[in-house]
Amino acid sequence: MAIVEDGLRNDSEEDNEIEVYVEEDDAEQDSDDSDDDDEEVSERKVLDLESQIADDPYNYNAHVELIQTLWSLSELDKWRCAFDRFQQTMLLRPEHWLLRLQTEETLAHSAQSIEFMADLFNQACYDCYSIPILNLWCSWAMSIGTEDGRAQIEEVLKRAGSDPFSGKLFWEARLELEKTKLQSLGEDHPDLKSQKQHVLWVLEEVVSRPLLRGDEGWQPFEEMALELKDQTYVDKVKIQHEAALEYLHKITPFEDKLLIVEDPAEKTQIYLEYIELVKELSKQEKYLECDSNSILRVLYERATTQCASGEVLHELLLEYGSHTQQNNSRMTTRRVLEACVRRCPSKNTFWTLKMQQAEHEEADFDEVKSILEIALAKGMESYTQAEFLWMSYLEFCRRRTDFSKESDVDRLRRTFRLAWDSLGETWGSEANDCELPLFWAHVEYKRIKDPKQGKEIFEEIFKYGENVTMCKYWEALLQLESERQVREEGDEGAGLQRLRELHRRAMRSVTDYPPTIARLWQNFERLHGHLDNVTQCAKISNSKVKEWRKNYQTMRDKMTGGAQRGKQAQKKTKFDDKKVKDTLGKGKRKAGAGDGEGSGVKRKKENEMADNKMKGNNSGVKRSHDNEKEGKDNKRQRTDSSSSGPVSADREACTLFVSNLDFKVNEQNLRDKLSEFGDIVSLRVKAGVKAFGGSICYCQYKTPESVEEAIKHDRTPLDGRPMFLSKYSVNKSKSFKYATTAERNKLFVRNLPYDQCTKEALTKVFDKYGTLKDVRIVTFKDGKPKGLAYIEYEDEASASEALKQTDGLQLGDRKLQVAVSEPPPKPSTAPTPTLGQAKRDVAGGMRRTQLSSLIPSVLQKPSTSKAANGQGNGHDEKKPLSNTDFRNMLLNK
């Protein structure tokens, strides 16, 4: 904008006054240029955000920023498309749903928009329970007309009309709508009386429910009830009104707590107690009209929206769905299950319930199939969840299959093949040990009556992973073939020999639990075999089972702490030796009391026992890993890499111990990951070790430097689980890995949102206050975050500044709790003896309670003897008994 001087005005009162005018054209041109620049920046931003979303579809903030940018560009169609994609990808927060609904409400001006808006409100309520959204729904309903508005408010009341805290708001909206229509009717209108009945019904609902401030509706209800009804009707409703007030009085303390508590965990606990109370009240007869079932639905909605997450969310939603199926209509059940799959989409539970509900309602095949397709598109959180989902669908397909029709049988087979291949492509080696083909094989044998196809399925199963060594597959095959033999060929012929060879093959192959196969084979030979067959079966089976038990016991002793048991046995042996010596040296008898032959034999046996115990006192020695026997059936063979060569340092120093691996760890992926830190000499994996909470691995490198480099990458994820990397040591002692004193340059952060528990996200928050040295996320063993983290800076000043700025910072939907890292001191395990008291045995030896069983019961009671208590000398003070006193009393001296 240019300001141009036009000279001094002659008639001006002041000499310095000038006349100016604004060049509007130039101003508009500059403004247009600025707008063009802003629009170009916004368009580039849109492209950048679209690229981010394409790389990471679950980036919530990128979706929100894209929607805001498109709105600034006035791109309504693109804005709607972006919102729809956002909604289909993940669960929306209430504030973003409110933004969409408020915007769409201002744009909805046609009759066709009513259905569109109603659908949007329904979708928002699937994602969350929000009073502002429900209020907006009510306001919009009252603006669209009486009949349509009544239907929409009725939907709101189904969702929140029973809410003890906010329900009265929505009943007031319905009452206002009915009163407005009543006022529009004349005195002679034929619908006047029926409309008054509508108003009375709303007032009755308000006073009959346990609603906050519901008692305010009693007076208008009573006036209208006396006008339309009689006193008997009023008295009846009065009883229900008093019961509702009493009900409200019982649940009000929980509503008060929920108003002041902010911590999600505490809120969850309050909701759980609240729900249990309502369940108890629903069983009492006087509260039957208070609609406890609807109150429970509201509480489940509120709890799953406000505070629950993870497994707690899953359990609450599962209770919610089960409660609805038992107590509500099909329409309500369908709506609740839709909300469940929206709020917990990565578990198969609710998708399975939804498919079962559709089948219960006799939906067609394609509708159930579409539910499965949507669930697979959402993605399951684990292989187990995906397998259960497919299994549920296959069970549905089996129930819908007419086995007399070839087309139905062909469709079932194609579905089985699709399920098996889909799991293999998506989950890789995890799908090797799969239950679906086992189910398929049973269907082929027993329902389709095609054992040849069933046996081919088993042969394909044995090609994957270690399935050929697993008992469960062979057991199923043997049982199915045995039933087939009895059904088709009887007890004679070549079929018996084929079945015998199948048992023999199973016995050779199975390594995880041979006793089951041995039992099946022995039972078969008892029924059908000759003496030679029985003898050969017993010989092979007993040999295999004996070897398996030996290997199993060795592994069990090693994995469950055999060294610790050895130490305890060593301590017990030392005590027994001491006990024997005391018996031999001090246990003298009176002359003539026990000097016979029997006593000599007994003493001889005691001496032999003592010698044997002293000879066998090596049970507590820990066995070195170098002495482990290899090549056994129940252990993986050591695999040498192509780069194996002479070890350049001590073997122990070059060995890395890896734990917390997945139970079915992919050995090749593990090798590829560990080889990033150095050349591997050997890699030994022990899969599925329960004592370690997963598989473990011993990785030997060429140099100790490779071990040091690997340890720097401790907790690196592999297949979704963090690997625990540490040095291997034969005599490794337990020690706390991290500092136990205050570290002023390190911060401990709590209450992190789970979607922000990544190094990148936390670095973005904390690196602005100083140079970061390390960011460590605390996780469970399965790799899922606990909501905790340690932020380490290079200096204390940076940490102090970060503490001031981030403590209480709102990150996502949570407030951070930040403090200086200062673990509590370790409690002292050895109590300090008090003056005048004997020191307690803290070395793990025998306790007083253990020795009490060796003392006669009469000596464990307080003595009443005056001589023993020191009362014979005239003193009141009791004198404790000495060992000599006990010995004399024991020997009756």
Side-chain angles (χ1 to χ4, degrees):
M1 182 176 67
I3 299 177
V4 182
E5 299 179 0
D6 193 30
L8 295 175
R9 293 191 307 177
N10 296 328
D11 56 347
S12 176
E13 297 180 358
E14 297 183 8
D15 294 338
N16 61 349
E17 186 174 353
I18 61 176
E19 182 178 1
V20 299
Y21 68 92
V22 179
E23 291 186 354
E24 297 293 343
D25 294 338
D26 291 343
E28 290 178 1
Q29 183 177 357
D30 291 343
S31 178
D32 292 340
D33 293 341
S34 177
D35 291 342
D36 291 340
D37 293 341
D38 292 342
E39 187 173 347
E40 290 179 4
V41 171
S42 297
E43 290 176 352
R44 287 196 300 269
K45 187 176 181 180
V46 167
L47 294 175
D48 181 54
L49 290 170
E50 290 281 5
S51 176
Q52 292 182 32
I53 292 173
D55 295 337
D56 181 9
Y58 298 97
N59 188 335
Y60 194 97
N61 294 330
H63 281 282
V64 174
E65 196 170 354
L66 174 62
I67 288 167
Q68 293 173 344
T69 307
L70 288 173
W71 182 256
S72 66
L73 289 172
S74 301
E75 296 281 357
L76 182 59
D77 291 337
K78 292 183 178 179
W79 179 82
R80 281 176 171 161
C81 291
F83 237 124
D84 291 339
R85 179 179 57 184
F86 188 16
Q87 176 200 349
Q88 294 168 6
T89 305
M90 65 188 76
L91 199 72
L92 269 64
R93 296 171 189 161
E95 59 268 24
H96 297 125
W97 263 119
L98 197 61
L99 173 66
R100 172 80 186 270
L101 293 166
Q102 288 172 338
T103 305
E104 293 288 359
E105 185 192 18
T106 61
L107 301 174
H109 302 297
S110 62
Q112 294 80 4
S113 62
I114 293 178
E115 185 176 351
F116 172 71
M117 286 299 301
D119 183 58
L120 272 185
F121 278 115
N122 274 298
Q123 292 177 26
C125 290
Y126 291 149
D127 283 9
C128 56
Y129 182 87
S130 170
I131 299 302
I133 290 176
L134 292 168
N135 274 332
L136 181 63
W137 196 350
C138 279
S139 301
W140 170 76
M142 294 178 68
S143 66
I144 62 176
T146 304
E147 294 304 323
D148 291 334
R150 178 183 291 170
Q152 293 303 316
I153 292 181
E154 189 66 31
E155 290 295 321
V156 176
L157 291 174
K158 288 178 182 178
R159 289 161 175 78
S162 300
D163 191 338
F165 185 73
S166 306
K168 189 170 183 294
L169 296 174
F170 311 117
W171 284 108
E172 286 177 347
R174 175 66 183 274
L175 182 62
E176 185 68 26
L177 187 71
E178 300 296 346
K179 283 184 176 180
T180 301
K181 183 175 181 180
L182 179 62
Q183 292 172 0
S184 65
L185 301 178
E187 292 294 333
D188 299 331
H189 199 282
D191 295 334
L192 180 64
K193 187 174 181 180
S194 62
Q195 185 59 32
K196 287 185 177 180
Q197 293 286 355
H198 283 304
V199 175
L200 181 62
W201 175 80
V202 175
L203 289 171
E204 181 183 349
E205 288 291 322
V206 172
V207 299
S208 301
R209 294 175 177 273
L211 303 175
L212 186 65
R213 296 186 296 106
D215 55 337
E216 297 175 359
W218 177 255
Q219 184 177 353
F221 163 76
E222 188 176 22
E223 293 174 357
M224 181 163 282
L226 291 174
E227 178 184 346
L228 300 176
K229 302 283 187 178
D230 54 12
Q231 186 62 42
T232 304
Y233 168 75
V234 175
D235 293 339
K236 180 181 177 181
V237 177
K238 180 69 173 179
I239 295 173
Q240 177 56 35
H241 176 61
E242 292 174 351
L245 292 178
E246 187 177 343
Y247 194 109
L248 181 64
H249 179 72
K250 291 180 180 294
I251 64 177
T252 298
F254 292 97
E255 293 288 352
D256 293 340
K257 290 179 185 177
L258 291 171
L259 285 174
I260 59 176
V261 172
E262 295 183 359
D263 182 64
E266 293 182 28
K267 255 189 178 179
T268 302
Q269 187 59 38
I270 294 171
Y271 270 119
L272 292 175
E273 295 173 2
Y274 194 174
I275 289 170
E276 288 302 317
L277 174 64
V278 173
K279 288 180 179 179
E280 290 296 324
L281 294 176
S282 66
K283 300 175 184 177
Q284 299 184 28
E285 186 175 356
K286 65 178 179 179
Y287 299 133
L288 290 180
E289 300 297 327
C290 291
D291 199 7
S292 295
N293 289 331
S294 297
I295 295 175
L296 281 173
R297 288 206 316 271
V298 169
L299 292 180
Y300 282 123
E301 286 275 358
R302 288 167 55 182
T304 53
T305 299
Q306 295 176 11
C307 52
S309 60
E311 288 302 319
V312 176
L313 174 63
H314 177 258
E315 293 302 321
L316 279 172
L317 287 174
L318 187 58
E319 288 183 18
Y320 185 18
S322 301
H323 167 79
T324 307
Q325 285 183 319
Q326 295 172 8
N327 300 283
N328 295 97
S329 64
R330 288 184 177 183
M331 185 66 70
T332 303
T333 301
R334 194 181 305 164
R335 177 175 58 80
V336 169
L337 290 177
E338 185 64 32
C340 289
V341 297
R342 284 289 297 169
R343 298 177 195 183
C344 193
S346 60
K347 289 186 180 291
N348 79 91
T349 312
F350 308 111
W351 296 106
T352 299
L353 289 175
K354 192 174 179 181
M355 285 191 289
Q356 292 174 351
Q357 182 66 23
E359 183 182 4
H360 180 68
E361 296 175 5
E362 299 181 352
D364 58 22
F365 198 94
D366 290 336
E367 182 177 342
V368 179
K369 182 180 178 181
S370 66
I371 296 174
L372 171 74
E373 292 171 346
I374 296 172
L376 293 174
K378 293 291 183 182
M380 295 292 103
E381 67 177 15
S382 66
Y383 166 74
T384 304
Q385 297 289 330
E387 184 182 30
F388 283 156
L389 179 66
W390 271 111
M391 187 70 81
S392 301
Y393 180 68
L394 289 169
E395 290 171 0
F396 160 76
C397 292
R398 195 274 306 161
R399 290 190 289 268
R400 286 290 181 93
T401 298
D402 184 353
F403 290 96
S404 63
K405 294 182 179 179
E406 186 177 351
S407 59
D408 281 14
V409 172
D410 182 61
R411 182 183 64 184
L412 181 61
R413 282 173 168 166
R414 283 188 282 105
T415 306
F416 269 112
R417 172 54 62 187
L418 175 65
W420 196 4
D421 291 346
S422 175
L423 288 173
E425 292 173 3
T426 306
W427 299 94
S429 60
E430 286 189 74
N432 290 343
D433 181 14
C434 183
E435 295 293 328
L436 295 186
L438 200 57
F439 177 31
W440 186 7
H442 277 80
V443 171
E444 292 286 352
Y445 271 94
K446 296 187 175 182
R447 298 304 304 272
I448 304 179
K449 309 297 183 183
D450 189 351
K452 182 179 178 181
Q453 178 70 23
K455 194 170 182 180
E456 289 179 0
I457 293 171
F458 276 107
E459 293 298 336
E460 184 177 354
I461 290 173
F462 292 147
K463 294 178 182 179
Y464 297 108
E466 298 180 357
N467 292 345
V468 73
T469 68
M470 298 176 70
C471 172
K472 67 176 184 179
Y473 294 115
W474 283 106
E475 181 181 9
L477 176 59
L478 290 171
Q479 289 177 345
L480 291 171
E481 283 292 323
S482 298
E483 294 173 6
R484 172 196 177 190
Q485 172 63 28
V486 172
R487 185 172 60 251
E488 295 181 1
E489 300 182 20
D491 296 336
E492 302 294 337
L496 288 177
Q497 186 59 32
R498 288 198 300 270
L499 194 54
R500 180 174 289 112
E501 290 300 323
L502 190 62
H503 279 92
R504 193 189 306 274
R505 181 186 168 195
M507 195 76 251
R508 289 196 305 266
S509 302
V510 170
T511 60
D512 63 336
Y513 198 72
T516 298
I517 306 301
R519 175 177 52 80
L520 291 174
W521 190 10
Q522 290 169 0
N523 288 340
F524 169 76
E525 296 297 353
R526 288 190 185 108
L527 291 172
H528 307 287
H530 298 291
L531 177 61
D532 293 341
N533 303 129
V534 173
T535 304
Q536 188 179 23
C537 168
K539 181 180 178 181
I540 295 175
S541 300
N542 292 339
S543 175
K544 183 67 174 285
V545 172
K546 183 178 180 181
E547 182 184 6
W548 173 80
R549 291 190 187 282
K550 181 179 178 182
N551 294 338
Y552 175 77
Q553 189 62 39
T554 301
M555 183 180 68
R556 182 180 178 184
D557 291 343
K558 183 178 178 182
M559 293 297 101
T560 58
Q564 293 295 326
R565 291 201 304 273
K567 291 179 182 179
Q568 295 175 0
Q570 186 177 9
K571 292 177 182 178
K572 185 175 181 181
T573 303
K574 289 181 179 179
F575 175 77
D576 291 341
D577 294 341
K578 184 177 179 182
K579 176 182 174 183
V580 171
K581 290 180 181 179
D582 291 344
T583 303
L584 294 176
K586 296 183 179 181
K588 297 180 180 179
R589 295 174 177 267
K590 288 186 177 181
D595 294 338
E597 183 178 354
S599 63
V601 173
K602 186 174 182 180
R603 187 175 295 111
K604 182 178 179 181
K605 289 182 179 179
E606 290 174 346
N607 290 335
E608 291 176 355
M609 187 186 299
D611 292 338
N612 291 336
K613 288 184 176 180
M614 290 187 177
K615 289 178 182 179
N617 198 21
N618 295 325
S619 60
V621 178
K622 185 174 182 179
R623 187 175 61 182
S624 170
H625 290 267
D626 295 338
N627 297 330
E628 294 175 359
K629 295 181 180 180
E630 300 175 2
K632 297 181 180 178
D633 292 337
N634 65 324
K635 296 183 179 180
R636 290 175 178 263
Q637 297 293 327
R638 179 175 302 181
T639 55
D640 295 335
S641 66
S642 58
S643 61
S644 61
V647 180
S648 60
D650 181 71
R651 179 179 177 181
E652 180 177 329
C654 295
T655 303
L656 177 74
F657 178 66
V658 188
S659 62
N660 198 48
L661 300 170
D662 191 75
F663 278 92
K664 296 181 181 179
V665 62
N666 187 312
E667 191 169 328
Q668 186 58 46
N669 292 344
L670 177 63
R671 175 181 288 276
D672 294 341
K673 194 68 178 178
L674 296 179
S675 62
E676 297 177 3
F677 312 128
D679 294 333
I680 298 176
V681 175
S682 67
L683 186 75
R684 187 153 53 97
V685 179
K686 295 184 179 179
V689 183
K690 291 184 178 180
F692 287 91
S695 303
I696 61 173
C697 167
Y698 298 93
C699 178
Q700 184 180 350
Y701 289 102
K702 278 189 175 182
T703 62
E705 288 75 15
S706 299
V707 177
E708 297 293 341
E709 179 63 26
I711 291 176
K712 294 178 182 178
H713 298 80
D714 184 25
R715 297 177 182 270
T716 297
L718 179 70
D719 299 331
R721 288 171 66 105
M723 297 188 297
F724 296 166
L725 308 179
S726 61
K727 293 182 179 179
Y728 166 75
S729 175
V730 176
N731 300 313
K732 188 174 181 179
S733 60
K734 294 182 179 179
S735 60
F736 193 70
K737 187 174 180 180
Y738 303 102
T740 57
T741 58
E743 298 175 278
R744 299 298 177 185
N745 65 320
K746 185 186 291 186
L747 301 179
F748 176 56
V749 185
R750 298 178 56 192
N751 203 37
L752 284 166
Y754 294 128
D755 58 348
Q756 297 289 331
C757 287
T758 62
K759 283 193 175 182
E760 294 76 13
L762 293 182
T763 300
K764 187 176 180 180
V765 174
F766 287 93
D767 65 351
K768 62 185 70 172
Y769 306 110
T771 305
L772 291 176
K773 186 177 180 181
D774 187 25
V775 175
R776 183 166 65 88
I777 311 295
V778 183
T779 64
F780 293 100
K781 285 189 175 183
D782 59 0
K784 294 182 179 179
K786 292 185 177 181
L788 308 174
Y790 288 92
I791 311 296
E792 186 174 2
Y793 288 92
E794 293 287 351
D795 53 76
E796 294 183 13
S798 300
S800 178
E801 179 63 23
L803 175 62
K804 295 178 183 177
Q805 299 296 331
T806 59
D807 187 25
L809 176 68
Q810 184 76 28
L811 185 62
D813 56 350
R814 298 191 178 187
K815 287 187 178 181
L816 302 187
Q817 300 176 16
V818 186
V820 174
S821 175
E822 186 174 2
K826 280 189 175 183
S828 177
T829 57
T832 304
T834 309
L835 185 64
Q837 295 182 353
K839 294 182 179 179
R840 295 192 63 181
D841 181 11
V842 295
M846 300 294 287
R847 297 288 189 267
R848 184 181 301 275
T849 54
Q850 294 172 281
L851 288 172
S852 62
S853 61
L854 305 176
I855 302 174
S857 59
V858 67
L859 300 182
Q860 298 183 32
K861 299 177 181 178
S863 175
T864 57
S865 171
K866 291 184 178 180
N869 292 336
Q871 294 180 0
N873 56 6
H875 297 285
D876 294 335
E877 184 179 1
K878 293 182 180 181
K879 179 181 178 182
L881 296 176
S882 64
N883 289 338
T884 304
D885 294 331
F886 281 118
R887 180 173 175 274
N888 291 338
M889 294 174 67
L890 183 62
L891 299 177
N892 296 324
K893 286 186 177 182

